[in-house]
Amino acid sequence: MTEVTLRDVMRAFPQGVVVVTAQSEEGPRGITVSSFTSVSLTPPRVVICIMTDARAHDAIDRGGFVVNILSERQGSLSDHFATPNLTSEQQFEGLSRRGLYLDGCLGYLGCRVVERLVQGTHTLFVGEVETCSLGAEGGPLVFCGREYWGLGENVFTRS
């Protein structure tokens, strides 16, 4: 196994895309994340995986974050928050938002960090969901094979 082979295999697995936002000392920070999942409904917990040298890491580590679930119309927003080395001002300049909540997303989860686990170059942050709400209607943004996708047709219906 090589790192290249592992990357290629992981690129075959589609993932939803979120932008995680948090408050830093310099202002709000955001980062595009595809490593996000629900862990538990009772208590309500989610996990995000953030590179330890990412500028948003320390802001999230301060104790709280918001998960903004991107719609299929927000590929450019995902790319924007994936751009390295932007200042807080550059990240949020001109964006329509309410605090850490980005307008136009499908849903929002306001979380408090309850656990941290460092694994290699990343930290897994377990967040307890304190608030959640639905946002815009539409389909989710999906990342697979280094490209953005929407959902296709339903291929199986459970009886």
Side-chain angles (χ1 to χ4, degrees):
M1 185 196 81
T2 67
E3 186 177 315
V4 172
T5 303
L6 178 59
R7 264 194 206 141
D8 289 344
V9 170
M10 295 308 296
R11 286 179 181 146
F13 183 70
Q15 299 169 304
V17 185
V18 301
V19 169
V20 174
T21 53
Q23 189 63 42
S24 75
E25 291 181 13
E26 70 171 357
R29 296 294 317 169
I31 187 168
T32 299
V33 174
S34 59
S35 295
F36 158 75
T37 194
S38 173
V39 175
S40 170
L41 293 176
T42 309
R45 302 248 167 109
V46 297
V47 67
I48 57 173
C49 187
I50 307 294
M51 204 167 196
T52 54
D53 65 357
R55 293 181 86 175
H57 182 279
D58 291 343
I60 295 165
D61 200 33
R62 291 178 67 166
F65 60 91
V66 172
V67 176
N68 297 271
I69 300 171
L70 299 189
S71 82
E72 62 191 358
R73 296 178 302 280
Q74 294 179 304
S76 62
L77 188 65
S78 174
D79 273 356
H80 175 71
F81 279 99
T83 304
N85 302 318
L86 295 179
T87 65
S88 170
E89 185 177 318
Q90 290 169 323
Q91 280 194 315
F92 288 88
E93 183 177 31
L95 289 183
S96 181
R97 64 187 177 102
R98 289 157 286 139
L100 297 174
Y101 296 80
L102 306 174
D103 289 345
C105 293
L106 298 179
Y108 308 92
L109 303 166
C111 304
R112 174 178 57 88
V113 175
V114 294
E115 194 168 338
R116 297 156 181 86
L117 177 63
V118 177
Q119 290 294 304
T121 59
H122 289 69
T123 301
L124 282 73
F125 290 99
V126 178
E128 183 160 298
V129 180
E130 298 183 317
T131 63
C132 66
S133 63
L134 289 171
E137 294 196 14
L141 185 64
V142 177
F143 192 70
C144 186
R146 301 181 78 184
E147 297 288 337
Y148 293 116
W149 303 86
L151 292 181
E153 65 183 75
N154 183 339
V155 296
F156 177 77
T157 302
R158 287 185 236 136
S159 51

